[in-house]
Amino acid sequence: GIQVEQSPPDLILQEGANSTLRCNFSDSVNNLQWFHQNPWGQLINLFYIPSGTKQNGRLSATTVATERYSLLYISSSQTTDSGVYFCAVHTGGFKTIFGAGTRLFVKA
Amino acid sequence: DAGVIQSPRHEVTEMGQEVTLRCKPISGHDYLFWYRQTMMRGLELLIYFNNNVPIDDSGMPEDRFSAKMPNASFSTLKIQPSEPRDSAVYFCASSSSTAYSYTFGSGTRLTVV
């Protein structure tokens, strides 16, 4: 089946720093999402982004479907950005496969 | 809208007992998903429904697991009999095929002792 790999696995940032998280996938996909799981376990959808670039405040995402990767940019990081960021791909309709995540800790 | 509602939030049960997890999706969403999250295996899709019909249950680990969606506003995931290795957080999520809004519930933390 399709493989979804995220990097880096762990990231520690000083508040105010910028970061880029990467998601590679091994086959063509119908869609791609980025999620944030906060320290209390809640999963929040950040972006639906099968291709192109989207921005939402300090977060933006770019997917290059032909090269099978997506990037999530976090600018001016805040302590509330801490948590785990997941990339998830849709194959064959709505079947969703998650990557292992990038664990982010932002220090005050 | 109250979002996706799961119950119970926490469940502790003894090995061999039946466990039923419940989910109420967002009204108007036509897809419902059940996931399991563990440290070792991450987030795994167990089964998903479209318009109350199971579409893909290839992620259901074994016959002890079953899921139903009797109507558009309710789904259950049942484990019978439960085993300690079933301990995990179980998430329900719903989505709309037209609006691409994907929402997770708060999860049920299951502990089987």
Side-chain angles (χ1 to χ4, degrees):
Chain A
I2 191 168
Q3 304 297 312
V4 181
E5 296 182 351
Q6 293 187 241
S7 60
D10 298 280
L11 186 58
I12 299 175
L13 296 176
Q14 192 66 46
E15 195 170 32
N18 303 327
S19 64
T20 300
L21 283 56
R22 187 177 180 100
C23 172
N24 292 331
F25 43 98
S26 61
D27 205 345
S28 300
V29 298
N30 297 337
N31 212 329
L32 185 144
Q33 294 175 263
W34 283 97
F35 290 88
H36 175 225
Q37 187 168 35
N38 66 26
W40 296 270
Q42 183 65 40
L43 280 152
I44 304 295
N45 180 41
L46 298 175
F47 295 103
Y48 264 105
I49 185 163
S51 63
T53 297
K54 291 186 178 179
Q55 181 153 7
N56 184 0
R58 295 181 298 102
L59 302 181
S60 65
T62 295
T63 296
V64 183
T66 53
E67 297 186 22
R68 299 179 184 165
Y69 73 89
S70 184
L71 303 173
L72 178 69
Y73 305 96
I74 304 174
S75 65
S76 304
S77 59
Q78 300 177 358
T79 56
T80 52
D81 296 331
S82 296
V84 184
Y85 290 82
F86 291 101
C87 167
V89 300
H90 295 189
T91 66
F94 263 71
K95 182 166 185 173
T96 310
I97 299 170
F98 278 73
T102 291
R103 187 175 301 274
L104 173 65
F105 179 68
V106 181
K107 298 188 295 183
Chain B
D1 200 322
V4 176
I5 300 173
Q6 291 188 244
S7 64
R9 290 295 309 275
H10 302 273
E11 177 81 30
V12 180
T13 190
E14 292 186 346
M15 182 174 62
Q17 296 298 305
E18 177 180 293
V19 176
T20 299
L21 311 182
R22 297 173 175 80
C23 176
K24 176 178 169 57
I26 289 176
S27 176
H29 280 189
D30 53 347
Y31 281 87
L32 184 139
F33 307 82
W34 282 101
Y35 287 89
R36 179 172 67 177
Q37 186 176 33
T38 60
M39 289 294 293
M40 292 298 294
R41 300 176 67 90
L43 272 162
E44 302 173 279
L45 177 65
L46 301 178
I47 185 171
Y48 77 96
F49 296 82
N50 178 220
N51 292 323
N52 313 337
V53 176
I55 303 300
D56 188 331
D57 65 354
S58 59
M60 297 285 263
E62 48 196 278
D63 292 344
R64 298 184 297 106
F65 286 69
S66 63
K68 294 182 179 179
M69 191 166 186
N71 57 62
S73 59
F74 183 66
S75 177
T76 59
L77 178 68
K78 186 176 293 187
I79 308 172
Q80 166 63 21
S82 57
E83 298 183 1
R85 60 193 169 118
D86 301 331
S87 297
V89 180
Y90 291 81
F91 287 100
C92 174
S94 71
S95 182
S96 166
S97 57
T98 56
Y100 275 118
S101 65
Y102 203 110
T103 305
F104 275 86
S106 298
T108 294
R109 181 174 297 276
L110 174 65
T111 303
V112 184
V113 298

